[in-house]
Amino acid sequence: MIAAPDRTPLTRDFFDRPVLEVAPDLLGRVLVRDSEDGPIELRLTEVEAYAGEADPGSHAYRGRTPRNSVMFGPPGHVYVYFTYGMWHCMNLVCGPEGMAGAVLLRAGEVTAGAELARKRRLSARSDKELAKGPARLATALDVDRSLDGSDVCGEKADPFMVLTGTPPRPDQVSSGPRTGVAGEGGVHPWRFWTANDPTVSPYRAHTPRRRRT
DNA sequence: CAGTCGATTCACT
DNA sequence: GTGAATCGACTGA
């Protein structure tokens, strides 16, 4: 059986473009996460671009480290980081190898496997909140550092795939400053979301943490 | 090797 | 709106 057009997996070429071009183009795409518990599918509604070593907001800003090395590798792979001692966040590496571009997946609408996502997101007050925020998205999909480096393209795509989906019309794509990014990195409008979508997370400026006593 | 802080979320006022 | 939770990565000495 031929796959429906909107169920076609995105190829490596899709990700092998400048990250600022790929990021808005990811809206409306469908991320599939397979696991032993079952599949979950997510329609992406909010992303942020991180533009490599020249971007002060990026984990790649100070060069390659053990944590961020996947960002420097080939496009079409998953970069997962652990933050605030509790949470994971998930990116898709974009752009040519060595450029360290990545797109943070900030929010989406769970379009399949909601029952499973609810079990992992007990604090969610409605299904709109299952993946409303990058750490919530990763929690709903059961993503952690063990999945860092996963390939999302071709035969080796496991446990993720990204399908063509239905991108929003260009006039429905909004952009603005990235959430929680400090200093100069905060000025660029490199956050992209689908206009008026209820699963998009609220914007917050960077908040410096109070000093511990 | 100690100090600092984070691409956040949640409970509570 | 405010503050706590919680720990690994990175920095600079």
Side-chain angles (χ1 to χ4, degrees):
Chain A
M1 161 171 162
I2 308 289
D6 65 341
R7 303 279 301 172
T8 305
L10 299 180
T11 62
R12 187 95 46 211
D13 288 342
F14 179 91
F15 299 97
D16 196 4
R17 295 180 289 154
V19 65
L20 289 176
E21 186 179 321
V22 179
D25 199 9
L26 277 168
L27 296 175
R29 310 299 187 178
V30 174
L31 175 67
V32 182
R33 197 296 199 216
D34 268 317
S35 75
E36 294 188 2
D37 299 330
I40 289 188
E41 296 187 9
L42 199 71
R43 181 178 62 88
L44 296 174
T45 59
E46 183 190 359
V47 299
E48 275 175 3
Y50 288 84
E53 289 181 273
D55 176 3
S58 173
H59 289 170
Y61 184 50
R62 293 173 199 284
R64 188 173 191 148
T65 68
R67 174 174 72 153
N68 67 18
S69 67
V70 170
M71 295 179 85
F72 289 79
H77 291 252
V78 173
Y79 165 52
V80 180
Y81 66 87
F82 179 66
T83 191
Y84 288 101
M86 280 170 271
W87 310 110
H88 294 273
C89 295
M90 171 178 177
N91 299 251
L92 296 173
V93 176
C94 299
E97 183 162 1
M99 294 281 288
V103 175
L104 172 68
L105 306 185
R106 288 197 57 89
E109 175 194 4
V110 175
T111 53
E115 187 173 330
L116 179 53
R118 286 185 204 111
K119 288 184 195 163
R120 298 172 176 160
R121 291 272 304 115
L122 295 177
S123 66
R125 284 172 299 174
S126 83
D127 284 2
K128 314 276 190 211
E129 295 184 353
L130 288 175
K132 185 179 192 157
R136 291 168 167 183
L137 184 153
T139 300
L141 297 182
D142 192 25
V143 170
D144 62 30
R145 282 283 284 168
S146 72
L147 298 177
D148 187 50
S150 298
D151 194 344
V152 306
C153 304
E155 298 301 315
K156 291 186 293 186
D158 176 55
F160 300 104
M161 250 187 340
V162 187
L163 308 179
T164 304
T166 309
R169 294 201 320 272
D171 63 290
Q172 292 300 110
V173 175
S174 303
S175 64
R178 294 176 293 184
T179 298
V181 171
E184 305 170 31
V187 304
H188 304 107
W190 290 347
R191 172 178 179 246
F192 303 94
W193 66 94
T194 302
N196 304 311
D197 191 293
T199 65
V200 173
S201 71
Y203 172 76
R204 289 195 209 79
H206 175 72
T207 52
R209 193 185 57 170
R210 285 220 312 176
R211 240 180 48 105
R212 228 199 61 186
T213 50

